[in-house]
Amino acid sequence: MSYNPPPSYDPYGNPISGPPVTGGPYGAPPAGFGMQQPYYGPPISDKSKLVAGLLQLLLGGFGVGRFYTGHVGMAIGQIAVTWLTCGFGVLWPLIDGIILLVSGGTDAQGRRLKD
């Protein structure tokens, strides 16, 4: 009497001819099989946090720092608030520029600004 093992299947459910792939002890998968790639951290933007912060401090009433990082909606909002409050709304871009300089921020794609 001979033993016929069940066929192996590919990810699409089709039977694979030949023995299943093994390589480790006790029929375990080969070393590295199913391992995740190493994690190198979040992606970094090509935009600089120093440039974004300085543009925001110097020309924040015009939303230049946020246009630089690609946040067009926020830049237009800063322009509108500055003009609708007769200049008092410039506090928002000023504080935003300080935050960009101190702790950085992200660009429009969500990548961290480089140092």
Side-chain angles (χ1 to χ4, degrees), residues 48-60 65 68-69 93-94 96-102 113:
S48 169
K49 77 175 186 178
L50 178 66
V51 173
L54 289 176
L55 285 173
Q56 194 65 12
L57 284 175
L58 300 175
L59 300 169
Y68 173 73
T69 61
L94 180 71
D96 192 29
I98 293 169
I99 291 172
L100 281 173
L101 284 173
V102 173
L113 296 175

Side-chain angles (χ1 to χ4, degrees), residues 39-105:
Y39 182 70
Y40 295 109
I44 305 294
S45 174
D46 56 341
K47 308 287 185 186
S48 169
K49 77 175 186 178
L50 178 66
V51 173
L54 289 176
L55 285 173
Q56 194 65 12
L57 284 175
L58 300 175
L59 300 169
F62 301 105
V64 176
R66 287 302 178 172
F67 278 121
Y68 173 73
T69 61
H71 296 102
V72 177
M74 188 180 292
I76 292 171
Q78 288 177 347
I79 293 170
V81 167
T82 300
W83 288 101
L84 290 174
T85 60
C86 299
F88 290 111
V90 79
L91 289 175
W92 175 22
L94 180 71
I95 293 169
D96 192 29
I98 293 169
I99 291 172
L100 281 173
L101 284 173
V102 173
S103 64

